[in-house]
Amino acid sequence: MSNNQTPEQKARNGIDGKLNDSGWVVQEKSRIDWSASRGIAIKEYLTDVGPADYVLFVDKEPVGIIEAKRDEEGHRLTVVEEQSAEYAASKLKYLNNDPLPFVYESTGALTRFTDFRDPKPRSKPVFSFLRPETFEEWLRKKPLRERLLNIPELRTERLRDCQVIAISNLEKSFKENRPRALVQMATGSGKTYTAITFIYRLLKFADAKKVLFLVDTRNLGEQAEQEFMAYVPNDDNRKFTELYNVQRLRSSYISSDSQVCISTIQRLYSILKGEELDEKIEEENPAERGWQPKEPLPVVYNEKIPIEEFDFVVIDECHRSIYNLWQQVLDYFDAFLIGLTATPDKRTFGFFNENVVSEYSHEEAVADGVNVGYDVYTIETEISKNGAKINAREFVDRREKLTRKKRWEQLDEDFTYTSKKLDRDVVNPSQIRHVIRTFKEKLPEIFPGRREVPKTLVFAKNDSHADDIINILREEFGEGNAFCKKVTYKAEEDPKSVLSAFRNDYNPRIAVTVDMIATGTDVKPLECLLFMRDVKSLNYFEQMKGRGTRTLGYDDLKKVTESAVSAKTHFVIVDAVGVTKTMKSDSRPLERKKNTPLKDLLAAVTFGAQDEDLYISLASRLARLNRQISEDERATFAQKANGKTINQTVKDLLSAYNPDIIDLQASEIKLYQPEIQEADAKKKAQENLLDVARSTFSGELNDYIENVRRVHEQIIDTVNTDVLLRAEWDKDAVVKADELVNDFKAYMEANKDEIIALRIFYNQPYQHREVTFTMIKEVLDKLKLEKPYFAPFRIWQAYEQLEKVNGNSPKNELTALVSLIRRITEIDPVLTSYDQTVNRNFQDWVFKKQAGTLKFNDDQMNWLRMIKDYVANSFHLEIDDLDYTPFDALGGRGRMYQLFGDEMNMVISELNEALAA
């Protein structure tokens, strides 16, 4: 290769290389060899408007052209579209061809592509060239964008309104040929079901070849796979996986006959790089790593996965996985990009070209009854808030974080710690115990009437903290191992089986996690989130809250929580660290900070990030670690690093950006490749040095480095005893409860003339006795249809935060609704369980009736109590009701007439009036 090439020659060299990578053989027009390949790119082929830079032939048939431009004209590629279109429409010398459909403009570095078969041909940037066999396949059928125009109208059975809107708008976006679209739907509102529905329609009606469903943790991928397996479309009684092949990638192999591929973005990146992936890297979502690169990671063309491999890429939790580190993976594919998220930020909107096809917020989802809302209960202790001080000369335990071995030590000087150091540098068992003991004592206030602990998820700071919490939870609640489990990737028990039991079985009642089910995992019976760690990222916090938003029916909730009296109406955040009050950033910073955690530096280098600050920072940290660890630990490091010592590892990291060593390596390269340019030799030398440096690191070694660093100990503070400062409903929760009750009152007031039962309660209180079960059911049905957020049990719980309620939460919605109507119409001065009202009124009525000469015998009293119980649940007794359960089993109206004679009708009338008073 000459060092004196013109810019045009350099551009053509770049184009030639990309064509070769994509399966084309580039030939001069004077040296054509049709047997060389199915795909031939002929340079300077003559047309009737002049020579075209490249004409593309597949099986000797012309299919497209490439207009080459020098690198400096990259910004003007759209300007030359007319020129390239003219060549495509021209006649090739010796051939009577039709206009060529596939047209490129390229500098070698930048390439644009137009398919002139599209309904409205539009150029777009592409990573590289399509393969010859792709063109051959495309020419056998209509183009994808034309097929998208023929997608039929959506059938809406079994779909929520928000899902119908999202799918309909997305398909409209496809038909308008918009390359990127964002579906924003609240956590729990059915994003994945929505995605599978539109994927099914793309495969069936648009004949899409293959769809990539991209996630950022293995856990999310497994969950998505389960949802694909369970999905049954509303126009076919077969399951999705009986109609189409779904493959979750567990290796670098992508099946040619799969229509849906599920993969983590980490795995896909490693496949594109041609590298093996350490599976541990799939356990954590990349967005939660502190380090982010200044420049995107280099992705190169991979012939095993051409850019046209997928027609559509669906990016789950896209707010976490589309920036910096991973954007090149998405830019690689020539595909429509569809983002799914509940919590977009400004960058998310920007990435998807502000094409938001669905905006469905948590508040809307709660109002529609798709999600449940939440209240906040605050627990604050002295040490949680202010930390503590251990005086010099005190004896304390020091505990290794990993082995949890302890040793005694007497402090030489005062040790003061803040709340931020809790459970990292210092553990105060009293602080953890006070939070958990208070949580246990306040459960009757937080969840009135419950006999068991609601399904609760505790967020811990790290694995060591999680272990401390679990031990104290079991002890304070007086329960065994089954009661409380740890659910993290590092847990000894299989996290999937623990998670399944937490979701479906009575035990465990409490799960403690660090990160595994912080985001993206459904546990519908979950009713309580106990935060014992703070969170800085607003998006991450919203995702964590999303674990509690799922709705669940009464029967399903009762299977795991036996004392539940209704469907799931809300969840409670118990805030023990001020997580609901601390400032949170809208998104993670674009570049790394100086305090980047060691594990994030390790992960970045392992993935092949190229950033001088990153390599130097990691070298510095490892050099410091080398001075802290023992000889045995150094030997273990070398064993896990394939014989490389920690000192050599540090040298390799520093060498990768040492200009003298780069020059030396470049000189050696030039000895063997004298034709190579100086700049190219230096570039190759540095690439080799970077490969040497990063090849040391693996998931196993990274874990060891991170853990050996943390072996060094925590202080266990058993000197300072914690004190509870407050345990109460958050002020905002009380305000929200008051607003909810007032909104409920306003709604009922506005409908009092429309609904018979409300009209009676508001305007004709003397006719309460006329209110029937059917009338109350009418009110409930209207609420469910128009205002699902006003679910009677939800309003009941709001009242419990505002006033002392008489009686426990009712066992059914209708009796709860009657109690609420009596309260808002001021028949009852405080909210009172309706069965309690009926019992009181029954006692008063019987007492008054028997005050004179009348005395009811035992048989009569048993019958009257049966009427009382019936009215407590059905509100009104008609004479015909005596012919049905429960009265018919005891003789029905005939038996009542035997007991009360001609007084029967009067007794029924009096009881209806008295019990409803």
Side-chain angles (χ1 to χ4, degrees):
M1 185 184 298
S2 170
N3 292 340
N4 299 312
Q5 286 187 323
T6 66
E8 287 80 3
Q9 288 171 322
K10 288 182 179 178
R12 293 194 180 217
N13 286 337
I15 293 170
D16 290 355
K18 286 197 168 185
L19 283 168
N20 290 332
D21 290 341
S22 302
W24 298 87
V25 172
V26 181
Q27 297 180 351
E28 302 292 338
K29 65 177 183 291
S30 59
R31 303 176 70 177
I32 295 175
D33 177 7
W34 294 114
S35 65
S37 172
R38 291 185 65 190
I40 305 290
I42 300 177
K43 292 184 175 183
E44 302 296 335
Y45 196 105
L46 292 176
T47 75
D48 58 12
V49 294
D53 293 330
Y54 297 81
V55 176
L56 303 176
F57 287 82
V58 175
D59 294 333
K60 304 179 186 177
E61 294 294 326
V63 297
I65 69 105
I66 302 172
E67 177 65 20
K69 292 296 175 186
R70 64 180 186 273
D71 199 35
E72 291 80 0
E73 293 192 75
H75 67 288
R76 297 183 64 250
L77 284 184
T78 54
V79 177
V80 300
E81 287 169 358
E82 285 189 24
Q83 182 182 354
S84 50
E86 187 179 5
Y87 282 120
S90 67
K91 294 293 184 182
L92 303 181
K93 191 171 183 179
Y94 311 120
L95 299 174
N96 184 27
N97 59 287
D98 292 327
L100 305 185
F102 306 121
V103 177
Y104 289 98
E105 300 85 31
S106 181
T107 66
L110 295 176
T111 302
R112 295 187 71 86
F113 171 66
T114 306
D115 184 347
F116 276 89
R117 302 172 309 140
D118 286 343
K120 293 182 180 179
R122 182 196 303 163
S123 74
K124 58 183 176 181
V126 288
F127 187 85
S128 189
F129 298 103
L130 302 180
R131 299 184 69 81
E133 56 268 29
T134 301
F135 285 142
E136 190 268 334
E137 180 186 341
W138 282 15
L139 288 168
R140 291 201 306 266
K141 57 185 179 182
K142 292 179 180 179
L144 174 63
R145 282 154 186 79
E146 183 178 337
R147 303 197 301 270
L148 288 170
L149 296 177
N150 298 320
I151 294 179
E153 188 174 341
L154 177 67
R155 291 178 58 173
T156 59
E157 302 98 302
R158 302 205 306 267
L159 292 173
R160 295 167 174 160
D161 289 347
C162 59
Q163 294 171 323
V164 171
I165 291 169
I167 296 167
S168 300
N169 287 346
L170 180 61
E171 290 178 352
K172 180 174 180 284
S173 175
F174 292 150
K175 291 175 182 181
E176 293 171 353
N177 192 16
R178 304 186 71 168
R180 298 180 181 185
L182 178 63
V183 177
Q184 186 266 313
M185 293 174 67
T187 300
S189 58
K191 286 194 303 297
T192 307
Y193 190 92
T194 301
I196 298 173
T197 301
F198 69 67
I199 290 170
Y200 166 76
R201 286 171 58 78
L202 290 170
L203 293 170
K204 179 172 183 176
F205 299 117
D207 192 24
K209 180 182 73 171
K210 191 176 289 188
V211 179
L212 173 63
F213 193 92
L214 205 56
V215 296
D216 60 12
T217 65
R218 185 171 69 242
N219 184 40
L220 283 180
E222 291 167 350
Q223 189 168 300
E225 182 180 33
Q226 292 299 314
E227 294 205 40
F228 272 101
M229 292 169 66
Y231 180 88
V232 178
N234 58 13
D235 62 354
D236 198 308
N237 59 8
R238 291 170 292 178
K239 290 186 176 181
F240 189 102
T241 48
E242 293 172 329
L243 296 165
Y244 302 106
N245 292 328
V246 176
Q247 177 192 16
R248 183 168 66 83
L249 299 188
R250 297 171 173 84
S251 67
S252 60
Y253 171 69
I254 297 180
S255 172
S256 60
D257 63 353
S258 62
Q259 284 81 40
V260 176
C261 280
I262 303 170
S263 175
T264 62
I265 199 163
Q266 300 95 307
R267 180 169 294 282
L268 203 62
Y269 170 74
S270 72
I271 294 173
L272 290 176
K273 292 286 288 180
E275 299 172 347
E276 288 299 314
L277 177 73
D278 189 317
E279 290 192 358
K280 290 183 179 179
I281 293 174
E282 293 184 292
E283 294 174 358
E284 180 185 16
N285 87 71
E288 284 307 303
R289 300 196 185 112
W291 179 85
Q292 299 289 348
K294 293 179 180 177
E295 297 180 6
L297 298 183
V299 168
V300 295
Y301 186 86
N302 186 323
E303 63 179 281
K304 293 181 181 177
I305 313 177
I307 65 170
E308 64 270 30
E309 180 74 14
F310 303 105
D311 289 332
F312 298 87
V313 177
V314 180
I315 311 136
D316 194 19
E317 305 296 356
C318 64
H319 63 280
R320 312 194 296 219
S321 52
I322 58 175
Y323 320 112
N324 310 318
L325 202 63
W326 308 110
Q327 184 169 336
Q328 278 201 343
V329 174
L330 302 176
D331 290 343
Y332 178 84
F333 293 107
D334 177 23
F336 286 93
L337 302 182
I338 305 105
L340 307 177
T341 183
T343 54
D345 59 26
K346 293 174 185 176
R347 295 180 303 159
T348 320
F349 291 122
F351 180 85
F352 288 99
N353 302 332
E354 300 182 43
N355 181 27
V356 185
V357 296
S358 165
E359 290 184 276
Y360 191 63
S361 67
H362 171 67
E363 290 73 22
E364 290 175 290
V366 171
D368 290 346
V370 172
N371 277 358
V372 297
Y374 68 92
D375 296 321
V376 178
Y377 193 90
T378 301
I379 296 175
E380 184 176 87
T381 71
E382 174 64 33
I383 292 175
S384 300
K385 184 179 181 182
N386 300 317
K389 175 183 175 183
I390 309 174
N391 294 323
R393 314 302 296 168
E394 290 281 3
F395 283 91
V396 296
D397 277 333
R398 282 192 178 272
R399 184 180 71 189
E400 291 184 0
K401 291 184 182 179
L402 293 181
T403 65
R404 299 180 79 80
K405 292 178 183 175
K406 291 182 182 178
R407 64 182 179 84
W408 274 94
E409 180 181 273
Q410 188 176 30
L411 293 180
D412 295 329
E413 55 188 29
D414 293 348
F415 179 80
T416 302
Y417 60 90
T418 64
S419 59
K420 289 183 179 179
K421 290 187 176 181
L422 272 173
D423 308 302
R424 290 189 170 94
D425 299 335
V426 60
V427 175
N428 186 308
S430 177
Q431 179 265 336
I432 300 173
R433 190 176 302 280
H434 265 73
V435 169
I436 289 169
R437 184 174 292 171
T438 303
F439 172 62
K440 178 190 174 187
E441 291 171 352
K442 297 296 181 180
L443 273 175
E445 178 184 341
I446 302 170
F447 290 93
R450 292 294 180 86
R451 293 189 300 275
E452 67 276 288
V453 179
K455 289 281 184 173
T456 299
L457 180 62
V458 183
F459 292 114
K461 295 172 185 174
N462 50 49
D463 276 279
S464 179
H465 187 213
D467 285 341
D468 290 331
I469 291 170
I470 287 168
N471 291 331
I472 294 175
L473 271 166
R474 291 170 177 169
E475 187 179 322
E476 286 296 316
F477 279 89
E479 296 287 352
N481 294 348
F483 172 76
C484 178
K485 298 277 189 178
K486 181 160 70 170
V487 189
T488 72
Y489 286 112
K490 296 179 182 177
E492 291 181 6
E493 284 190 73
D494 175 25
K496 291 181 195 172
S497 62
V498 175
L499 188 55
S500 176
F502 187 49
R503 184 185 289 122
N504 301 311
D505 301 339
Y506 181 82
N507 276 323
R509 301 308 302 168
I510 300 177
V512 183
T513 187
V514 177
D515 50 25
M516 183 178 171
I517 52 177
T519 62
T521 304
D522 288 339
V523 183
K524 291 183 177 180
L526 195 57
E527 294 185 273
C528 185
L529 305 180
L530 172 53
F531 278 86
M532 296 186 72
R533 63 169 284 195
D534 199 0
V535 185
K536 294 177 182 176
S537 162
L538 178 62
N539 274 339
Y540 196 46
F541 181 50
E542 291 298 324
Q543 291 284 310
M544 293 165 88
K545 287 195 299 185
R547 299 316 96 220
T549 62
R550 267 62 174 185
T551 58
L552 190 64
Y554 171 59
D555 291 339
D556 290 327
L557 181 57
K558 195 171 178 63
K559 287 176 185 175
V560 294
T561 302
E562 293 172 0
S563 63
V565 296
S566 73
K568 181 177 169 183
T569 59
H570 72 305
F571 69 99
V572 176
I573 291 174
V574 178
D575 183 0
V577 290
V579 68
T580 58
K581 300 297 182 186
T582 53
M583 291 290 292
K584 293 179 176 37
S585 60
D586 190 38
S587 58
R588 289 202 162 267
L590 293 176
E591 295 184 2
R592 70 181 184 88
K593 293 185 176 180
K594 293 179 181 177
N595 60 353
T596 302
L598 176 59
K599 69 172 184 176
D600 297 334
L601 299 178
L602 289 165
V605 169
T606 305
F607 264 115
Q610 295 180 9
D611 182 303
E612 183 175 1
D613 290 343
L614 168 66
Y615 275 66
I616 291 172
S617 295
L618 181 56
S620 174
R621 301 275 186 95
L622 293 179
R624 190 162 65 233
L625 177 67
N626 192 36
R627 293 191 293 271
Q628 297 171 341
I629 62 178
S630 67
E631 282 301 323
D632 286 345
E633 288 166 340
R634 290 189 188 97
T636 304
F637 178 101
Q639 180 186 348
K640 294 181 183 297
N642 296 319
K644 190 181 289 187
T645 65
I646 193 167
N647 279 331
Q648 186 58 51
T649 302
V650 170
K651 287 178 183 176
D652 288 345
L653 287 166
L654 295 174
S655 296
Y657 285 92
N658 186 320
D660 294 332
I661 294 177
I662 292 171
D663 287 345
L664 184 62
Q665 291 270 333
S667 299
E668 292 179 6
I669 290 171
K670 290 193 75 172
L671 286 175
Y672 297 100
Q673 301 178 44
E675 76 284 359
I676 195 170
Q677 294 183 33
E678 183 73 23
D680 290 338
K682 286 186 177 182
K683 182 179 178 183
K684 188 169 184 179
Q686 185 168 34
E687 286 174 355
N688 292 341
L689 290 166
L690 286 165
D691 281 342
V692 169
R694 66 179 284 243
S695 64
T696 310
F697 299 96
S698 64
E700 184 183 10
L701 178 62
N702 293 358
D703 269 355
Y704 179 73
I705 294 170
E706 175 65 9
N707 290 334
V708 77
R709 180 184 69 91
R710 294 191 316 195
V711 160
H712 309 286
E713 307 149 321
Q714 297 172 312
I715 289 177
I716 310 298
D717 179 8
T718 54
V719 176
N720 291 291
T721 303
D722 208 356
V723 177
L724 179 67
L725 298 180
R726 63 190 182 103
E728 60 193 14
W729 288 109
D730 185 83
K731 290 178 182 177
D732 289 342
V734 176
V735 170
K736 280 166 57 180
D738 190 50
E739 288 175 352
L740 181 60
V741 166
N742 287 330
D743 289 346
F744 175 73
K745 286 179 182 176
Y747 176 81
M748 299 300 256
E749 176 81 26
N751 287 274
K752 67 181 181 182
D753 296 326
E754 183 183 339
I755 303 174
I756 296 171
L758 294 182
R759 186 162 65 240
I760 291 173
F761 273 106
Y762 274 96
N763 302 326
Q764 301 163 318
Y766 60 88
Q767 289 189 356
H768 292 172
R769 61 186 177 183
E770 304 299 332
V771 174
T772 65
F773 179 90
T774 304
M775 292 177 185
I776 297 298
K777 185 76 164 53
E778 181 191 4
V779 183
L780 183 62
D781 289 345
K782 187 174 176 66
L783 279 177
K784 286 184 174 179
L785 181 64
E786 296 182 1
K787 296 286 183 180
Y789 188 48
F790 291 157
F793 290 117
R794 185 78 186 92
I795 307 300
W796 188 283
Q797 283 149 357
Y799 264 109
E800 286 177 329
Q801 293 184 39
L802 300 175
E803 65 184 34
K804 178 69 175 173
V805 173
N806 286 337
N808 293 327
S809 184
K811 291 188 172 126
N812 71 63
E813 290 181 301
L814 290 168
T815 54
L817 183 56
V818 171
S819 298
L820 291 166
I821 294 172
R822 290 174 63 91
R823 175 67 184 90
I824 63 176
T825 55
E826 299 184 348
I827 296 169
D828 294 332
V830 296
L831 183 60
T832 304
S833 177
Y834 189 61
D835 61 344
Q836 204 170 86
T837 297
V838 170
N839 284 337
R840 183 195 66 221
N841 290 342
F842 178 74
Q843 289 173 356
D844 291 346
W845 181 79
V846 170
F847 182 78
K848 286 177 185 176
K849 295 293 285 186
Q850 298 195 131
T853 57
L854 174 66
K855 303 293 181 188
F856 295 121
N857 62 38
D858 288 346
D859 287 342
Q860 288 175 319
M861 281 302 300
N862 287 336
W863 197 269
L864 292 172
R865 289 189 190 100
M866 189 161 52
I867 292 176
K868 180 259 297 181
D869 291 340
Y870 180 85
V871 171
N873 290 294
S874 299
F875 319 116
H876 184 85
L877 178 71
E878 296 284 351
I879 192 77
D880 291 343
D881 294 333
L882 296 173
D883 297 331
Y884 302 99
T885 305
F887 306 104
D888 60 337
L890 298 176
R893 75 171 80 189
R895 176 57 178 160
M896 185 171 182
Y897 186 80
Q898 286 179 359
L899 290 171
F900 295 96
D902 293 336
E903 302 289 316
M904 181 177 77
N905 288 339
M906 185 190 72
V907 168
I908 291 173
S909 177
E910 284 189 19
L911 273 177
N912 275 329
E913 183 174 353
L915 298 182

